[in-house]
C-alpha cells in the first residue's frame, strides 16, 4: 500500500497541523508531496518548541511538533505574493494532481491562486480547502483553531471530571484532535476524488471544515442527544453507554477495565475477587449497569484497589476481560506489542537521524525520509518542473524563492 500513490503529485500549500497531517498521509502512501513554505519562517510549527531535534537550534526550524506532521515530503520556499512567485505556483499546479490549502477564506482568490483560476490551466486538478467554517455562512470569515472547535462543537461539554468531583469542569483533549481528524477526513476525500477522476477525467473542489468535523466527531454522544434529547455531561473516565468501562485505582497505580458486553461482565463476576457481584441480578444487563452506575462503580472500585497491576493483568487476561494500563510515553515505546509492530522508526534527513512514529497505514516504513529542512528541495523541484538553472538563480536573487 505504501507506493499506491506513487504517480500522484501533491502541491501542499498548508501549514500547522490539519493540512500537513493530510498531506503526510498521502506522502506515506507514496505521493510526491511538495510542501510550499514562506521564505524565512516557513511553516509556523517549525518554531513551536522546545523540544527541537538534538543537534539543531531554534533557528533551524526543526521542532518536534513540525517533525510529527511532515515526513516523506519535499520543501520549497516560494514568496507567492510576488508576481514571479505566483507564476511558480501556477507552473507547479499545472502538472499537480492535488492541491491542499488551509488559508483563510478568500486569501488565495485575492492572489489569483484560487481553484477557479487554477482549474483553467489544469481541469483535472483536485483542490482541497481546509478552513475553520467553510466559504459561506455567518462565520465564514472567522479564523478557526482546534481549541475553539473543541468547545464550540460540544466536545468539551462532556469531557472532564463529573460535576461535584475535584477538578470538575470542561477539559480539552491532550492533542489537537479536531485538526487531526480534519486531516484524516481530508485524506479520505482526496482518495475518493482520485477514484472518481479515474472514471470521469475531471477534478473537483473539496471543502473540509474544522466546524463540520468537530460536530461529526461527537459520534455516539451526538447520537445520544439526538435520540434521547438530553445533552451529555462530563462523566470523568466513565463511558456513557457501557459499564463498567472506566479507570480504576489498583494497589500500585491505575488501570482501565473495559467490560464491553454482558458476556464479558459475566466472566468478570466469575473471578473469585468479584464474588460479591456474582449473584446480583441488578447488574446482569448493560442497560441496568448504566442506570445503576452510581451503585456499581464503588463496588468495582473497592475490589480493584485491593490488588496490584501485575495481579489484575494476569487474572483479567486469563478471564478474557479487556483491560489496559495507563502508560506514560516512555512506557508506550517499551510496550512489547508496540515494539513488535515497529511503530517507532528512524529516518535520515538533512539534520541526521530523526525518531518518528510510523504511519498506521503502511507496515513498512524502512525507506521513509525525515521531514525536510526549510527549502531543502527548492532547486530540485523547480528544475523538475522545467525551470532553468538561470531562472532559478534569478529567483534566488530577487527573493522569490
Amino acid at each position: 500500500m505504501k507506493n499506491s500513490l506513487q504517480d500522484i503529485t501533491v502541491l501542499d500549500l498548508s501549514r500547522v497541523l490539519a493540512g500537513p497531517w493530510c498531506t503526510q498521509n498521502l506522502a506515506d502512501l507514496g505521493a510526491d508531496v511538495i510542501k510550499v513554505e514562506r521564505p524565512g519562517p516557513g511553516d509556523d510549527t517549525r518554531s513551536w518548541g522546545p523540544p527541537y531535534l538534538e543537534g539543531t537550534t531554534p533557528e533551524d526550524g526543526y521542532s518536534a511538533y513540525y517533525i510529527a506532521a511532515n515526513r516523506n515530503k519535499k520543501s520549497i520556499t516560494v514568496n507567492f505574493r510576488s508576481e514571479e512567485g505566483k507564476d511558480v505556483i501556477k507552473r507547479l499546479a499545472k502538472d499537480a494532481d492535488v492541491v491542499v490549502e488551509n488559508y483563510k477564506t478568500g486569501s488565495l482568490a485575492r492572489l489569483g491562486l484560487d481553484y477557479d483560476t487554477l482549474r483553467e490551466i489544469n481541469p483535472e486538478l483536485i483542490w482541497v480547502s481546509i478552513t475553520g467554517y467553510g466559504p459561506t455562512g455567518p462565520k465564514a470569515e472567522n479564523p478557526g483553531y482546534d481549541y475553539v472547535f473543541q468547545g464550540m462543537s460540544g466536545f468539551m461539554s462532556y469531557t472532564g471530571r463529573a460535576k461535584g468531583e475535584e477538578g470538575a469542569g470542561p477539559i480539552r483533549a491532550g492533542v489537537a484532535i479536531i485538526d487531526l481528524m480534519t486531516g484524516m477526513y481530508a485524506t479520505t476525500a482526496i482518495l475518493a476524488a482520485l477514484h472518481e477522476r479515474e472514471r470521469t477525467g475531471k477534478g473537483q473542489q473539496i471543502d473540509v471544515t474544522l466546524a463540520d468535523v468537530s460536530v461529526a466527531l461527537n459520534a455516539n454522544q451526538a447520537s445520544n442527544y439526538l435520540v434521547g434529547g438530553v445533552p451529555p455531561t462530563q462523566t470523568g473516565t466513565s463511558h456513557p453507554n457501557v459499564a463498567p468501562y472506566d479507570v480504576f485505582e489498583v494497589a500500585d497505580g491505575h488501570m482501565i477495565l473495559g467490560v464491553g458486553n454482558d458476556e464479558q461482565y459475566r466472566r468478570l463476576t466469575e473471578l473469585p475477587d468479584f464474588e460479591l457481584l456474582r449473584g446480583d441480578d441488578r447488574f446482569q444487563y448493560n442497560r441496568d449497569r448504566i442506570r445503576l452506575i452510581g451503585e456499581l462503580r464503588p463496588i468495582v472500585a473497592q475490589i480493584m484497589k485491593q490488588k496490584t497491576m501485575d495481579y489484575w493483568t494476569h487474572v483479567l487476561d486469563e478471564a478474557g476481560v479487556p483491560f489496559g494500563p495507563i502508560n506514560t510515553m516512555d512506557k508506550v515505546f517499551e510496550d512489547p506489542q508496540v515494539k513488535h509492530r515497529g511503530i517507532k522508526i528512524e529516518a535520515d534527513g538533512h539534520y541526521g537521524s530523526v525518531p518518528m512514529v510510523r504511519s498506521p497505514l503502511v507496515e513498512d516504513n524502512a525507506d521513509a525520509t525525515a521531514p525536510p529542512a526549510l527549502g531543502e528541495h527548492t532547486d530540485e523541484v523547480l528544475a523538475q518542473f522545467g525551470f532553468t538553472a538561470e531562472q532559478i538563480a534569478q529567483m534566488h536573487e530577487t527573493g522569490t524563492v
Side-chain angles (χ1 to χ4, degrees):
M1 183 185 290
K2 69 178 181 179
N3 293 320
S4 57
L5 297 181
Q6 63 182 350
D7 57 342
I8 299 299
T9 299
V10 179
L11 191 58
D12 183 4
L13 304 183
S14 68
R15 68 269 189 227
V16 187
L17 188 54
W21 196 255
C22 165
T23 55
Q24 180 170 257
N25 288 331
L26 301 176
D28 287 336
L29 293 173
D32 183 17
V33 176
I34 300 168
K35 182 177 179 68
V36 181
E37 304 187 67
R38 295 174 296 166
D43 189 313
D44 303 39
T45 62
R46 286 183 178 276
S47 65
W48 286 13
Y52 298 91
L53 183 69
E54 185 177 0
T56 70
T57 68
E59 289 69 34
D60 292 321
Y62 215 71
S63 71
Y65 198 116
Y66 164 77
I67 290 170
N70 289 287
R71 70 171 165 268
N72 290 330
K73 302 179 184 179
K74 298 174 181 176
S75 170
I76 70 171
T77 55
V78 181
N79 174 17
F80 53 80
R81 295 186 181 279
S82 70
E83 290 304 316
E84 195 172 20
K86 293 176 189 178
D87 289 340
V88 171
I89 298 300
K90 290 177 180 178
R91 177 86 69 91
L92 270 58
K94 183 178 184 296
D95 294 320
D97 297 282
V98 180
V99 170
V100 177
E101 61 91 6
N102 62 354
Y103 282 84
K104 188 176 178 180
T105 297
S107 296
L108 292 180
R110 287 190 287 273
L111 294 173
L113 295 175
D114 56 324
Y115 173 67
D116 287 337
T117 300
L118 296 185
R119 71 173 176 177
E120 294 296 322
I121 60 176
N122 184 357
E124 296 185 1
L125 186 65
I126 295 168
W127 180 282
V128 181
S129 293
I130 298 175
T131 59
Y133 296 94
T136 60
K139 296 184 178 180
E141 297 298 322
N142 292 7
Y145 295 95
D146 175 277
Y147 208 157
V148 170
F149 292 109
Q150 288 194 38
M152 183 277 290
S153 66
F155 180 86
M156 290 175 64
S157 73
Y158 56 80
T159 302
R161 292 191 176 276
K163 186 177 181 180
E165 293 183 3
E166 184 179 355
I171 298 291
R172 71 172 179 88
V175 294
I177 189 69
I178 310 301
D179 274 341
L180 294 172
M181 286 303 298
T182 299
M184 295 305 297
Y185 273 107
T187 302
T188 304
I190 290 168
L191 295 177
L194 287 169
H195 178 69
E196 182 175 346
R197 192 178 69 176
E198 285 293 310
R199 295 187 295 106
T200 66
K202 297 178 180 178
Q204 62 178 291
Q205 184 175 25
I206 299 170
D207 169 29
V208 183
T209 79
L210 274 72
D212 293 354
V213 170
S214 67
V215 177
L217 190 59
N218 288 308
N220 60 292
Q221 292 282 26
S223 189
N224 287 345
Y225 167 69
L226 294 174
V227 172
V230 179
T233 58
Q234 283 104 358
T235 57
T237 57
S238 297
H239 196 286
N241 297 104
V242 188
Y245 199 106
D246 206 339
V247 173
F248 291 96
E249 181 182 1
V250 296
D252 55 351
H254 292 81
M255 68 185 304
I256 298 164
L257 181 64
V259 177
N261 56 50
D262 293 336
E263 171 59 22
Q264 291 173 1
Y265 180 76
R266 182 189 64 77
R267 294 201 296 267
L268 180 72
T269 60
E270 287 179 349
L271 295 172
D273 302 275
F274 284 86
E275 184 177 4
L276 178 63
L277 290 172
R278 192 172 305 153
D280 196 332
D281 292 339
R282 293 179 300 162
F283 306 125
Q284 183 177 2
Y285 299 109
N286 183 71
R287 60 178 180 269
D288 298 318
R289 295 196 295 275
I290 287 295
R291 182 173 57 86
L292 300 172
I293 188 65
E295 299 176 38
L296 175 62
R297 193 187 189 286
I299 298 173
V300 177
Q302 181 62 28
I303 295 170
M304 294 292 292
K305 72 179 181 180
Q306 302 304 315
K307 303 291 177 61
T308 66
M309 185 87 69
D310 284 346
Y311 174 85
W312 287 122
T313 296
H314 174 73
V315 168
L316 294 172
D317 194 33
E318 286 288 317
V321 175
F323 69 94
I326 300 175
N327 286 332
T328 52
M329 200 58 65
D330 55 328
K331 291 182 179 179
V332 170
F333 291 103
E334 290 302 316
D335 184 283
Q337 186 66 21
V338 172
K339 284 187 170 182
H340 172 75
R341 296 290 294 175
I343 303 298
K344 178 187 174 183
I345 61 173
E346 299 269 345
D348 289 332
H350 183 79
Y351 296 112
S353 183
V354 182
M356 298 180 293
V357 176
R358 75 159 172 84
S359 170
L361 297 173
V362 294
E363 292 186 8
D364 179 13
N365 271 193
D367 58 353
T369 60
L374 180 62
E376 179 179 348
H377 303 93
T378 299
D379 291 4
E380 172 191 332
V381 169
L382 291 177
Q384 174 187 336
F385 280 82
F387 290 93
T388 66
E390 291 75 14
Q391 289 173 318
I392 295 171
Q394 175 64 26
M395 286 189 281
H396 279 293
E397 288 183 13
T398 60
T400 300
V401 299

